[in-house]
Amino acid sequence: MNVLSVRNLTKSFTLHTIDGRTVGALHGVDLDVAAGEHVALAGASGAGKSSLLRCVYRTYLPSSGHIWLDTAEGRLDLATLPDADVAHLRGRELGYVSQFLRAEPRRSVLDVVARSGTARGMDPAEAREAAAVALRRLGIDERLWAMHATVLSGGQKQRVNLAAGTISPPRLLLLDEPVSALDPVNREAVLAMIAELTSLGVAVLSVFHDFEAIERLATRVVVLDAGRVAADGDPAKVLSLEVAR
């Protein structure tokens, strides 16, 4: 069953500060992600990968088309849903892990991760325990747990982001370059945690520029080219064609 169904999605931007011209980012994208499936987006820089993720998360308002999300409340169209309803779904049924951590200035590392669990219905004590397990697994030293999350290094913030996104994970998880700032050891821990999501029935839509990570994690690859779907299929076959281009 599809958790996410994107149909004829378009997104354009008006360059108000230049000359008012309109630039298209997405042109009629169709995409499905099923429960327990990891779909990785590939393509050159500027192909529309991050724009697609942000439309699904609704940080960008689509210009047209549909983004159907299967939720506990039924099938909802994120493209037309009021902002307040989208905010209600975020963190509960729709998660987003980016390469940047956005946290309240005086919120501790442990609190940032645990609050994600409570937002998804976990008991506060259970959420703190799950947060501790995730932080240990991702190599965040316990001495850092009481520190404000904003003072961490870039790689530490990425791991805190992933910990927050994967405790009691949402129905659909969006990953935008979650390993870009990591050293090999921490990268391995993060990839191992991401690999487990599909066995939990989570639908994952990701952007990686690392083909090795895509081949390891993805069950399917969708290639975008100038805002359109150029290929969709088995990771090894699709990526071999991309390398040959």
Side-chain angles (χ1 to χ4, degrees), residues 129-179:
E129 179 58 32
V133 170
L135 289 169
R136 287 193 191 98
R137 183 174 178 187
L138 292 174
I140 301 296
D141 194 293
E142 289 190 36
R143 293 173 297 179
L144 301 176
W145 294 3
M147 294 180 63
H148 296 162
T150 51
V151 305
L152 300 179
S153 71
Q156 289 166 338
K157 288 177 179 178
Q158 282 194 330
R159 283 177 282 154
V160 170
N161 253 350
L162 188 72
T166 54
I167 65 165
S168 185
R171 197 177 304 249
L172 173 65
L173 186 61
L174 310 174
L175 303 176
D176 192 359
E177 288 293 340
V179 298

Side-chain angles (χ1 to χ4, degrees), residues 11-16 19-25 27 63:
K11 176 60 184 174
S12 60
F13 299 92
T14 301
L15 306 181
H16 296 288
D19 56 8
R21 82 180 77 169
T22 298
V23 176
H27 306 279
S63 300

